[in-house]
Amino acid sequence: MVSKTPHTIGAAVCWFASFLWFVIICTPMNWLWCENLVVRFRINLWVFKIHKGIMSWGATLLIHGVTQNEVVHSIMDLFEADMWMEDGAARLCSPAVNYIWRWCDEAMYLKYASFAMIFFGFVAIMSLSAGGFFMYYYAHEHATRTGRMWALGCLISAPMCGLLGSLQYLLLTINFSEAMSNFGVYSTFMYGPGFFVSCMLSLLSCLPLYIYFVFGKKNPFEKSDETYEED
């Protein structure tokens, strides 16, 4: 008799990895961090956080001491806001801001990379959840060829989606700091924990597939589609 333990463990790993993917996709975990003397960015997949840099804070204090002009204060408030990704990209692409910094292209790449990562992340979540279900169902309920093929397809698609999502995010955002260095202003750029956790989860998502091929044995009493319909 074929042991059910490998399929049970594989299903549990699938569901655990699916939960971790949900956490990093849906929680406000930083994916990108970038700053110069004028502005600081803290970016996750959903929210664009803009804060003043050292020079902006100094200019704000100076302006508050010199003038009470509301227009000037509104301009300084542009560097202090938490916005959804769509709104943040639109603000960076506004004519006045883009005329000075010319970072609209990088902002749009960032928006597309974030939305694509959300898509690939949710596909990985669904693939892992379904793969775990098919593995458990195959071992404990009905061993059918269709169920085994569905499990294999889901287990292959999950790490592929994770790797594709992380790779496209890296490629589309790696030049984000270039616009921050305009006019010789020194900038600091680094990826946050969300990105690195997604890379590790992409590797973890390969573990159920490894369990499936190495330890999961085909049930000798597996039913083909025709046999299953006859029953």
Side-chain angles (χ1 to χ4, degrees):
M1 183 177 180
V2 177
S3 175
K4 300 178 181 179
T5 303
H7 289 86
T8 304
I9 294 175
V13 174
C14 282
W15 294 328
F16 179 66
S18 175
F19 170 74
L20 294 180
W21 271 113
F22 182 82
V23 169
I24 70 162
I25 294 296
C26 296
T27 57
M29 187 180 298
N30 279 346
W31 281 65
L32 200 62
W33 175 83
C34 192
E35 71 174 32
N36 59 23
L37 295 176
V38 179
V39 65
R40 293 185 297 133
F41 293 116
R42 301 292 184 273
I43 302 167
N44 59 50
L45 296 179
W46 304 89
V47 176
F48 215 116
K49 298 182 180 181
I50 306 176
H51 302 289
K52 296 183 181 74
I54 296 175
M55 289 180 59
S56 297
W57 276 113
T60 300
L61 294 175
L62 180 62
I63 290 172
H64 274 288
V66 173
T67 180
Q68 297 296 324
N69 189 297
E70 293 184 1
V71 175
V72 175
H73 290 298
S74 298
I75 294 174
M76 296 308 299
D77 288 340
L78 290 174
F79 295 100
E80 198 71 28
D82 291 357
M83 299 167 288
W84 293 108
M85 181 61 64
E86 181 75 30
D87 297 331
R91 175 169 294 191
L92 294 185
C93 286
S94 62
V97 175
N98 190 54
Y99 179 78
I100 298 174
W101 293 103
R102 301 190 185 283
W103 51 24
C104 182
D105 290 341
E106 286 76 10
M108 295 305 294
Y109 289 150
L110 173 65
K111 182 182 76 170
Y112 297 145
S114 299
F115 290 165
M117 187 67 237
I118 292 172
F119 170 77
F120 283 117
F122 277 114
V123 173
I125 290 170
M126 292 185 291
S127 297
L128 286 167
S129 301
F133 168 78
F134 285 120
M135 287 182 74
Y136 189 89
Y137 189 84
Y138 182 88
H140 293 271
E141 298 296 334
H142 293 290
T144 64
R145 182 181 181 279
T146 300
R148 182 164 56 85
M149 291 295 101
W150 271 102
L152 179 59
C154 291
L155 296 182
I156 291 174
S157 67
M160 287 183 60
C161 287
L163 290 170
L164 284 174
S166 301
L167 180 61
Q168 65 83 29
Y169 190 88
L170 174 66
L171 294 177
L172 290 178
T173 59
I174 197 167
N175 293 323
F176 185 77
S177 65
E178 288 186 359
M180 302 277 290
S181 301
N182 283 347
F183 314 113
V185 178
Y186 175 76
S187 66
T188 304
F189 172 84
M190 66 184 299
Y191 288 97
F195 174 75
F196 292 110
V197 173
S198 73
C199 294
M200 291 186 288
L201 275 182
S202 298
L203 298 177
L204 177 63
S205 300
C206 297
L207 183 57
L209 188 62
Y210 175 80
I211 294 173
Y212 178 91
F213 278 115
V214 176
F215 301 105
K217 304 299 182 182
K218 178 181 177 181
N219 193 320
F221 302 106
E222 176 186 289
K223 297 180 180 180
S224 64
D225 298 337
E226 294 80 6
T227 306
Y228 187 70
E229 290 177 358
E230 291 175 1
D231 293 347

